[in-house]
Amino acid sequence: MTAVMKSPERVRPQVGQSPERSAAVGAADDGAQGAARSPDRSTGRQPARTAVRRAAELARQAEEHARAKQGAKGKHTARERLDLLFDTGSFEEIGRFAGGDIAGGSAGSAVITGFGLVYGRKVAVYAQDFSVRGGTLGRAEGAKICRLMDMAIELKVPIVSLIDSGGARIQEGVAALTQYGRIFRKTCQASGFVPQISLILGPCAGGAVYCPALTDMIIMTKRNSNMFVTGPDVVKAATGETISMDQLGGGRVHASTSGVAHYLGEDEADAIDYARTVLAYLPSNCEEPAPTYAYASGHADQAAAKRLAAIVPSNDRQPYDVLDVVRAIVDYGEFVQVQELFARSAVVGFACIEGHPVGIVANQPLVDAGSLDVDSSEKVARFVRLCDAFNLPVITLVDTPGYKPGSDQEHAGIIRRGAKVIYAYASAQVPLVTVVLRKAFGGSYIVMGSKSIGADMNFAWPSSQIAVLGARGAVNIIHRRDLQKAKEEGKDVDALAERLATEYEETTVNANLSLEMGEIDAMIDPGQTRAAIADSLRTLASKRRTQMVDKHHGNQPL
């Protein structure tokens, strides 16, 4: 995956090297060296206490134990993962020995908490340590996580969680479950205020799955990563079904089938790098604008603009890859997809326009002609809400024949779940820019960022079609009697239908009516698309949020 940052590459520590130590451990090391020689009053050094040296030794032993235990499974230790997440040398741990028993030989609890820098910006993290009691959560772990989240909310910085846990600590009973409740509540408090990203790097089962489920994004890996409410043994006991952990709740299942995961990493390093990249597009909190990056236009932009004219076929039934359009519009052709393997008739993700991060939403004609179904509706709605929460403009590229028909869609709740797209766009207050690439029919035209639903700037390509129905479908309804009469008289029904469809396209389906009504602001050539979007974003840069009515909150379809 290509990172958005155009800065020097970060030097990553090699896996297996000593972890960055907390201030307490560092002080213990210095003190241990001082104790090895006679006290030197000129340096002002104090000899280390035995307990402090013992703590430092326990910390080293704990990491060696973790490396041996995790390495055998092909997994990184919690501290090695932190090395991958943060800019080199920037992690500052808090509560290193909280929940431990130094005298009894316990270095600490089963979670590491602290702060570090990602591309120079502060981020809070808690990393569960599977090498300590299976990473289970008890009183001490819950207290550390809640304290970290309180600090993150107060400091207004993103929260990243590295999940690798056996769940609630059974030995502590209800006390452990209570801590999950506290974490749920704080996650909801932070929702929409600071970005929250969860990386599932091991097991996550039972009630624990709802900690990441409440966050903005879930990242999983192809191996070792599992999420399920009830495990294979419980499923077999309750239903008789025999199923493996990966088949039940592995990364592939949640990335492609359930839609729980937003990204499937090749390995832990790839998953963590994706989290870093996403954070580079988002502000630290909802009160700040998104970060901006230096950008200089060049020949590549001109070449991309020329390519746009040839990407979309003139035949409205011929598929094409909308990703080619996206990459020809955004800076450097860099596009970071979200939920790439799920609901593939829609494409969503992050990009930059002239150095400013934006969210991209597009229909994908390669899959079901780009129609909206229950899954793609939720995918689009969730992403638009994320962008609106954190001040990213939404660019919508439309090419859809409508909602996917069928009893399976109706029974799956296309009315309820399709309405989520409407709610997301209608309530969004970030700049909204929409471009109709080829066709936009029926209700899908309205919900995909139309001007009537709240978009600020709307454009259409000259060959685009906007109507209640496509020409052939409309002719079959409007001219049903004429076609039946032609059939009875032995005339060429297909030829008549084709002629009527052509007439309908010329008079009704083209975008002229929308242009005349003001629903489309301008007809633009494909090569002008990037410039039109960039100009619109500059115009809308001063757009501010307004509260239309006094209410607690809306009751969106769920």
Side-chain angles (χ1 to χ4, degrees):
M1 180 186 61
T2 307
V4 66
M5 305 297 293
K6 295 297 176 183
S7 58
E9 292 187 3
R10 185 170 62 101
V11 179
R12 295 190 185 279
Q14 296 180 352
V15 173
Q17 74 180 48
S18 297
E20 296 168 337
R21 295 175 177 147
S22 65
V25 175
D29 288 342
D30 289 343
Q33 294 173 11
R37 56 183 180 270
S38 56
D40 186 351
R41 294 183 180 179
S42 64
T43 63
R45 285 193 174 186
Q46 298 268 340
R49 293 181 180 178
T50 303
V52 177
R53 290 199 300 270
R54 174 60 175 158
E57 181 61 26
L58 282 176
R60 283 191 288 269
Q61 291 174 356
E63 182 61 15
E64 290 171 0
H65 170 71
R67 194 175 296 122
K69 191 169 184 178
Q70 293 289 84
K73 302 175 184 177
K75 298 164 66 175
H76 292 84
T77 70
R79 295 183 183 278
E80 287 171 342
R81 291 165 178 167
L82 295 177
D83 286 340
L84 292 170
L85 176 64
F86 290 123
D87 299 348
T88 303
S90 67
F91 178 60
E92 181 179 2
E93 186 170 358
I94 61 174
R96 171 63 180 90
F97 297 98
D101 181 2
I102 295 174
S106 174
S109 67
V111 67
I112 300 167
T113 56
F115 296 86
L117 302 180
V118 174
Y119 292 120
R121 293 191 296 146
K122 188 176 294 294
V123 172
V125 67
Y126 69 86
Q128 293 178 319
D129 188 347
F130 197 82
S131 69
V132 179
R133 300 184 183 182
T136 53
L137 184 132
R139 293 185 184 88
E141 289 78 11
K144 286 182 68 172
I145 292 172
C146 289
R147 182 194 174 205
L148 176 87
M149 297 183 75
D150 283 336
M151 292 179 68
I153 293 172
E154 183 178 357
L155 297 173
K156 301 179 181 180
V157 299
I159 302 170
V160 174
S161 57
L162 306 179
I163 307 298
D164 188 1
S165 170
R169 188 167 297 152
I170 298 173
Q171 296 89 329
E172 296 191 22
V174 175
L177 296 178
T178 299
Q179 295 293 30
Y180 276 121
R182 294 180 62 203
I183 296 170
F184 294 163
R185 183 176 176 83
K186 291 188 183 297
T187 303
C188 293
Q189 291 172 353
S191 180
F193 182 65
V194 296
Q196 299 181 88
I197 298 178
S198 300
L199 291 103
I200 314 300
L201 304 177
C204 182
V209 298
Y210 293 110
C211 290
L214 292 168
T215 62
D216 298 305
M217 192 167 292
I218 294 175
I219 301 170
M220 300 182 72
T221 59
K222 291 182 177 179
R223 294 180 56 208
N224 299 320
S225 183
N226 293 281
M227 290 182 75
F228 38 71
V229 176
T230 55
D233 293 340
V234 176
V235 169
K236 185 174 182 178
T239 68
E241 179 185 7
T242 301
I243 190 170
S244 69
M245 289 179 65
D246 282 341
Q247 291 172 328
L248 180 63
R252 293 180 187 276
V253 169
H254 286 311
S256 61
T257 304
S258 71
V260 168
H262 296 79
Y263 182 73
L264 181 64
E266 288 290 332
D267 52 28
E268 291 188 10
D270 181 40
I272 293 171
D273 187 64
Y274 182 82
R276 284 176 54 86
T277 301
V278 168
L279 288 171
Y281 286 94
L282 298 174
S284 293
N285 58 74
C286 68
E287 298 174 354
E288 296 181 3
T292 58
Y293 304 101
Y295 180 79
S297 59
H299 294 297
D301 290 343
Q302 300 171 12
K306 291 179 180 179
R307 287 199 308 272
L308 277 172
I311 292 175
V312 179
S314 56
N315 182 350
D316 64 357
R317 292 183 174 227
Q318 184 176 343
Y320 65 93
D321 192 349
V322 77
L323 291 175
D324 293 335
V325 176
V326 173
R327 293 184 179 119
I329 292 172
V330 302
D331 293 359
Y332 307 112
E334 294 178 352
F335 180 53
V336 179
Q337 282 201 67
V338 175
Q339 290 186 300
E340 178 180 357
L341 304 178
F342 176 70
R344 300 179 71 174
S345 63
V347 169
V348 302
F350 302 104
C352 283
I353 300 289
E354 294 187 339
H356 295 268
V358 298
I360 303 286
V361 175
N363 304 114
Q364 176 56 286
L366 279 180
V367 181
D368 293 334
S371 59
L372 289 172
D373 59 13
V374 291
D375 289 334
S376 60
S377 295
E378 291 186 334
K379 176 178 175 177
V380 168
R382 171 80 171 174
F383 184 74
V384 171
R385 295 285 282 175
L386 174 65
C387 292
D388 184 50
F390 295 111
N391 308 318
L392 265 62
V394 177
I395 312 301
T396 307
L397 307 177
V398 184
D399 188 351
T400 176
Y403 281 96
K404 186 177 180 179
S407 60
D408 60 331
Q409 289 294 304
E410 297 295 342
H411 297 169
I414 189 64
I415 297 173
R416 169 177 55 83
R417 296 163 73 178
K420 297 179 183 182
V421 183
I422 300 173
Y423 197 97
Y425 273 104
S427 59
Q429 296 201 30
V430 292
L432 302 175
V433 180
T434 300
V435 181
V436 179
L437 305 181
R438 188 165 63 173
K439 58 183 177 295
F441 295 152
S444 60
Y445 158 67
I446 297 296
V447 306
M448 288 294 293
S450 67
K451 188 171 287 289
S452 58
I453 208 170
D456 300 294
M457 302 293 287
N458 291 65
F459 303 97
W461 286 4
S463 60
S464 60
Q465 302 176 348
I466 302 175
V468 176
L469 280 175
R472 289 171 179 79
V475 164
N476 289 336
I477 294 174
I478 298 172
H479 298 284
R480 181 176 61 253
R481 293 182 179 178
D482 295 333
L483 294 174
Q484 180 62 31
K485 183 178 180 181
K487 182 179 180 180
E488 293 171 353
E489 295 176 353
K491 296 180 180 179
D492 189 341
V493 177
D494 292 339
L496 175 60
E498 187 66 28
R499 179 174 63 79
L500 293 173
T502 301
E503 291 176 358
Y504 185 83
E505 285 183 354
E506 293 175 351
T507 59
T508 307
V509 176
N510 64 62
N512 288 344
L513 180 60
S514 297
L515 191 63
E516 293 165 359
M517 292 175 59
E519 293 299 307
I520 297 295
D521 293 300
M523 201 81 75
I524 60 173
D525 289 328
Q528 298 174 306
T529 304
R530 176 180 164 86
I533 293 172
D535 290 343
S536 297
L537 293 179
R538 283 193 291 270
T539 300
L540 299 168
S542 59
K543 182 180 180 181
R544 295 293 178 264
R545 298 178 185 273
T546 57
Q547 187 170 349
M548 302 298 182
V549 294
D550 187 14
K551 61 181 179 180
H552 299 303
H553 57 75
N555 185 20
Q556 73 176 93
L558 295 172

